[in-house]
Amino acid sequence: MGNFAQAYSWVDIRFLLQGLGVTIYVSLISIALSFIVGLIFGFIRNMKIKYLSAIVGFCIDIIRNLPLLLIIFFTYFGLPELGIVTNPILASIIALVIFEGAMLAEIVRSGINAVPIGQMEGARSNGMTYMQAMIHVVLPQALHKMIPALLSQFVSLVKDTSLATIIVLPELLFHAQIIYSQNSTYLIPMYLIISVMYFVVCFSLSMFASHLQKKFNS
Amino acid sequence: MIGILTSHWSEFITGFGNTILCSLIALFFSLVLGIGFALLEVAPIKFLRIIAKIYIELFRNIPLLVITMVFYLVIPQFFFKVSGFVAGTIGLSLYTSAFIAENIRAGINSVGDGQMEGALSNGMTYTQAMRYVILPQAMRIVIPPLGNQFINLIKNSSVLAFVAGFDLMYQADVVALSSFQTINTYVIVGVFYLILTLPLSYYMRYLEKKLN
């Protein structure tokens, strides 16, 4: 047990908390950007614009069915080959936004589809344009329906940031690896505490999701 | 691009085979565990429900990579040495089983209470009612979400690359490093993944539509 007391010295804990800070920072930026991307592309896919919607839909399906790790590799090692210079933080944010944006677009699409067609027809026959009907009538109801799915996607985004250790993003798991590579007896204490940290962050988000779900169902 | 594919054909095929193998093994164990914990979660005994809840929330809220690393690095310190492939497959099974359990539980809950009451009042025991009445109906509802979990499982199997599991992603790294043609290699590997996931994903969408 002596290991635990030593491993959890303030210096190490502070170092881990810095990692957690990077995890949360990257997650928050990616959540905000991928939500916007997902909303726009899910919307375009649903608008049934000739060719454009089909192409967007196909791209979304391709990205959704690739492993995130592959996309992370691509943005970090592949983009420089095309002359685009990235750093770990930028590369992981780009990868997360591409991947989660596609996942969210799919959620948005099925959310809009879940709103009965009569809502749109009713709004249109009351003299609204397509965009007005979408923004004021359909989207608010759709967002309401998709909030639980959106939040659980955000939880998996937070977990997925750990994959970016492979491109040396200085996040929680990477900082833990630095600590236990200097002293291998810290291996177990480190995995224990980062599991707790990830759990606390993700579980509180999950709890918030199920709270919202209950609130909306009643 | 064709050049890399032909010159590193054996690496790609080994990786492809390992990815499929790992996914199938993990699918089997995560289904078994998932059904088991889903049944515990709806069990009439509170203690069992709490155990299932703890298991599910634990594995759902910790990154897959952390779970896999624990099996790869921590378990050998206490018990026996595990290869990267085994550690990855165990991690993947446990992680996915938590999601599958949640899906199946939702399926069981969506079968009306009346079904259970009807079966019980016809003289079935709880186990019989679950086995012959509730589960068959629930499984039909949960097939599309289970299919999506299987797609996620195939994609998540790329975590084996972290623990030298010789899967597709690992081989991609090896080929990219030796051939210096990063983008081409990743495009080829992407196509290999799509061969597995894309048909499955379209089939699930078709099933979903059919069920609605």
Side-chain angles (χ1 to χ4, degrees), chain A residues 45 61 64-67 69-70 73 78 81-82 106 159 162-163 173 177 180 188 191 198-199 203 206, chain B residues 57 60-61 63 65 69 73 78 95 99 155 158 162 169 173 182-183 186 190 197-198 201-202 205:
Chain A
R45 189 177 193 177
D61 283 339
R64 278 179 63 227
N65 286 299
L66 287 173
L69 193 54
L70 187 72
F73 271 122
E81 221 171 86
L82 298 173
E106 181 63 17
K159 290 187 292 176
S162 64
L163 292 176
L173 179 59
Q177 285 174 339
Y180 73 69
I188 298 165
Y191 272 106
Y198 275 119
F199 184 81
F203 188 65
S206 305
Chain B
E57 292 303 341
R60 253 162 47 113
N61 289 303
L65 183 55
M69 289 306 241
L73 297 173
F78 293 107
Y95 180 78
F99 288 90
K155 291 191 292 173
S158 59
F162 282 90
M169 199 63 226
D173 238 14
T182 332
I183 290 186
Y186 290 143
T197 50
L198 207 54
S201 139
Y202 280 122
R205 190 172 297 163

Side-chain angles (χ1 to χ4, degrees), chain B residues 54-97:
Chain B
I54 290 174
Y55 175 89
I56 291 169
E57 292 303 341
L58 205 59
F59 283 107
R60 253 162 47 113
N61 289 303
I62 294 178
L64 170 61
L65 183 55
V66 174
I67 299 172
T68 306
M69 289 306 241
V70 166
F71 278 97
Y72 188 56
L73 297 173
V74 178
I75 298 296
Q77 296 210 336
F78 293 107
F79 304 106
F80 40 81
K81 208 168 157 31
V82 280
S83 72
F85 184 83
V86 175
T89 312
I90 296 175
L92 200 54
S93 306
L94 295 178
Y95 180 78
T96 315
S97 72

Side-chain angles (χ1 to χ4, degrees), chain A residues 3-20:
Chain A
N3 280 343
F4 280 79
Q6 279 168 20
Y8 297 153
S9 65
W10 172 237
V11 181
D12 287 348
I13 296 289
R14 194 179 54 194
F15 191 57
L16 287 179
L17 287 176
Q18 281 169 3
L20 186 65

Side-chain angles (χ1 to χ4, degrees), chain A residues 125-138:
Chain A
S125 62
N126 272 314
M128 284 185 176
T129 64
Y130 178 84
M131 288 308 275
Q132 282 174 330
M134 205 55 171
I135 290 168
H136 297 294
V137 179
V138 178

